[in-house]
Amino acid sequence: MQFFYHSNLNADNFILSSEESKHCAKALRKSAGSYIFVTDGRGTLIKGELLSVYVEACTVQVVERMENYGLRERTLHLGVAPTKNPNRMEWLVEKCVEIGIEQISFVRCAHSERPHLDLNRMERLAVSAMKQSNTTWLPKMEAIDFQQFIKNYGDSDADKLIAWCDDKNNQQLINYPLKSDKIILLVGPEGDFSKEEIAQCSQCQFTEIKLGNRRLRTETAALYGCVILAGKFLN
Amino acid sequence: MQFFYHSNLNADNFILSSEESKHCAKALRKSAGSYIFVTDGRGTLIKGELLSVYVEACTVQVVERMENYGLRERTLHLGVAPTKNPNRMEWLVEKCVEIGIEQISFVRCAHSERPHLDLNRMERLAVSAMKQSNTTWLPKMEAIDFQQFIKNYGDSDADKLIAWCDDKNNQQLINYPLKSDKIILLVGPEGDFSKEEIAQCSQCQFTEIKLGNRRLRTETAALYGCVILAGKFLN
């Protein structure tokens, strides 16, 4: 079974998008009268009956409505410096959705590459990964400058973590004792954060943590952090 | 700094491959008299002096030799059912090398897709990832049938773990208490293991574990498992 996606599930009946209709009618060969599950990526999951099935448009009648489906007690917000190669960020988005991340900020740092980030494409990838992994939450995504990131989230009461390479920093993420129900994890670019950025994070009570003892690519480091946090705190 | 690769470091001086020479002479613009680090992917790391630098051939004189460099106390052997799309396995190999995995078996299961696995290409990707992450160990890689995998490793005294989707299986990997210094983690195909395969693993004292509570793609599940094990046991 795979979920369908529809951005607005407020009405009691609705027509699936052309892409979803095609998938429903052609790939899955559904017929009128059968039931499907549809999510809006914001925690709503409906069980719906297919009233009519055409390749261009399938009409769905809501039979059962579930809100906050699969809502987790804790949330994870990943801030990550975008890589030069957009494939690596797209790959990261797919994996983050599978594992379950509430928010992703692509943070342009002083030492960041500045690639063109196609957020629309990222959204489409996220929807596809969400459907495949039968989840009902899409991460919020944004592209943001480091200064704005600090302005927006620096005084959050979340557990704020920054992963960077410093010999004095010996706190492994897996041993970090969580204090709140929100986590912000910030992972820097290949050239690491600038001294000023680290000082700013320090002022905002970010805790410095390590992601193992290896030199990891940016996207590997980000996923490493998300998996450790998901495994420890988010199940 | 980035390591160079040379498959055989037994001699006291040697000539870098044409690819490595080009990288050394052209991309990094090294000159005779400078020092580089070279690994064979089997734990040997040498510090070498460049005797001559040409785009086609750089000659290296061994100055210092380190054996078992970065050897870990525990080893991880991943068995994973290959995905239809080879990109996903190539991506997994890259990430496994970064995180540090000693062996990868691509295990053809009853419900596996049977793609063409280009092990030579995988080796090249592994070498590239090893150099980038400054490690000195390449994972051993093999393509193998499930029956042969069980025959070869079923009576190993390693901690043998199998990840599969069963409602009765509630042991999360992150809570698994390691007993030995070797870990074998087996991750199945999208269609999961067959009943016979699970029964065989059970006979060989594989412990059933869960990788979180989400439905993950094969390569995501494999990486999830490797990260949790690396974070807990392999640093």
Side-chain angles (χ1 to χ4, degrees), chain A residues 107-114 146 189 192-194 196-197:
Chain A
V107 185
R108 285 179 296 258
C109 301
H111 300 164
S112 278
E113 306 282 351
R114 298 193 178 234
F146 181 86
D192 217 336
F193 294 104
S194 72
E196 293 73 23
E197 286 167 343

Side-chain angles (χ1 to χ4, degrees), chain A:
Chain A
M1 189 194 59
Q2 187 180 310
F3 291 173
F4 289 84
Y5 172 68
H6 195 72
S7 60
N8 185 329
L9 292 176
N10 292 334
D12 282 341
N13 60 65
F14 58 91
I15 297 169
L16 289 177
S17 72
S18 58
E19 196 184 331
E20 294 288 81
S21 293
K22 190 174 167 192
H23 183 62
C24 180
K26 263 196 130 169
L28 300 180
R29 296 166 176 271
K30 295 277 183 191
S31 50
S34 39
Y35 293 97
I36 60 171
F37 287 87
V38 189
T39 178
D40 62 359
R42 293 188 301 281
T44 305
L45 181 68
I46 67 116
K47 182 180 174 182
E49 183 183 347
L50 285 161
L51 297 181
S52 63
V53 176
Y54 298 101
V55 175
E56 305 79 29
C58 295
T59 310
V60 182
Q61 171 74 46
V62 175
V63 174
E64 190 183 343
R65 179 183 297 275
M66 293 153 271
E67 308 285 355
N68 290 323
Y69 185 87
L71 185 69
R72 300 196 294 193
E73 287 174 23
R74 298 193 179 107
T75 63
L76 175 53
H77 174 184
L78 172 67
V80 60
T83 52
K84 194 173 171 186
N85 179 344
N87 288 346
R88 296 186 172 274
M89 286 297 104
E90 292 170 6
W91 165 86
L92 178 63
V93 166
E94 180 185 293
K95 298 307 164 209
C96 281
V97 173
E98 283 182 65
I99 290 162
I101 305 292
E102 279 68 17
Q103 188 169 354
I104 306 174
S105 300
F106 298 100
V107 185
R108 285 179 296 258
C109 301
H111 300 164
S112 278
E113 306 282 351
R114 298 193 178 234
H116 173 66
L117 269 181
D118 185 343
L119 281 182
N120 285 332
R121 185 172 153 79
M122 300 274 196
E123 295 282 356
R124 288 198 300 277
L125 285 170
V127 166
S128 170
M130 175 184 71
K131 286 160 41 182
Q132 276 235 331
S133 54
N134 279 16
T135 59
T136 53
W137 297 90
L138 284 174
K140 283 186 219 163
M141 290 193 276
E142 63 179 354
I144 190 170
D145 282 321
F146 181 86
Q147 296 306 332
Q148 192 61 43
F149 182 87
I150 291 294
K151 207 169 166 186
N152 292 3
Y153 309 109
D155 62 357
S156 156
D157 56 1
D159 282 68
K160 288 169 290 194
L161 307 171
I162 178 171
W164 75 293
C165 314
D166 180 29
D167 291 341
K168 283 176 288 181
N169 167 17
N170 282 313
Q171 163 106 304
Q172 288 286 352
L173 176 60
I174 199 155
N175 301 323
Y176 177 80
L178 201 67
K179 297 168 198 83
S180 77
D181 55 4
K182 282 182 284 187
I183 311 168
I184 297 175
L185 172 66
L186 191 52
V187 175
E190 307 276 324
D192 217 336
F193 294 104
S194 72
K195 278 183 185 168
E196 293 73 23
E197 286 167 343
I198 289 168
Q200 278 185 279
C201 283
S202 176
Q203 275 170 17
C204 295
Q205 274 80 49
F206 272 74
T207 302
E208 296 177 5
I209 52 91
K210 281 184 82 172
L211 303 168
N213 294 319
R214 301 259 175 163
R215 192 163 86 169
L216 304 175
R217 284 171 184 274
T218 294
E219 80 277 8
T220 315
L223 191 69
Y224 186 108
C226 291
V227 168
I228 296 287
L229 291 169
K232 267 197 90 167
F233 300 121
L234 302 176
N235 280 316

Side-chain angles (χ1 to χ4, degrees), chain B residues 173-204:
Chain B
L173 176 60
I174 200 157
N175 301 322
Y176 177 81
L178 201 65
K179 297 168 199 85
S180 77
D181 55 3
K182 283 182 283 185
I183 311 169
I184 298 175
L185 172 65
L186 190 53
V187 175
E190 306 276 324
D192 217 335
F193 293 104
S194 71
K195 280 185 185 168
E196 292 73 25
E197 287 167 344
I198 289 167
Q200 278 184 280
C201 283
S202 175
Q203 275 171 15
C204 295

Side-chain angles (χ1 to χ4, degrees), chain B residues 114-168:
Chain B
R114 295 188 182 239
H116 173 66
L117 269 181
D118 186 341
L119 281 182
N120 285 332
R121 186 173 152 78
M122 300 275 195
E123 295 281 356
R124 287 197 301 276
L125 286 169
V127 166
S128 169
M130 175 184 70
K131 285 160 41 181
Q132 277 235 330
S133 55
N134 278 17
T135 59
T136 52
W137 296 91
L138 285 173
K140 283 186 220 164
M141 290 194 273
E142 63 178 354
I144 190 170
D145 283 321
F146 181 87
Q147 297 306 331
Q148 192 63 43
F149 182 87
I150 291 295
K151 207 170 163 183
N152 291 4
Y153 308 110
D155 61 358
S156 156
D157 55 2
D159 282 69
K160 289 170 289 195
L161 307 171
I162 177 171
W164 74 292
C165 314
D166 180 29
D167 291 341
K168 284 175 288 181

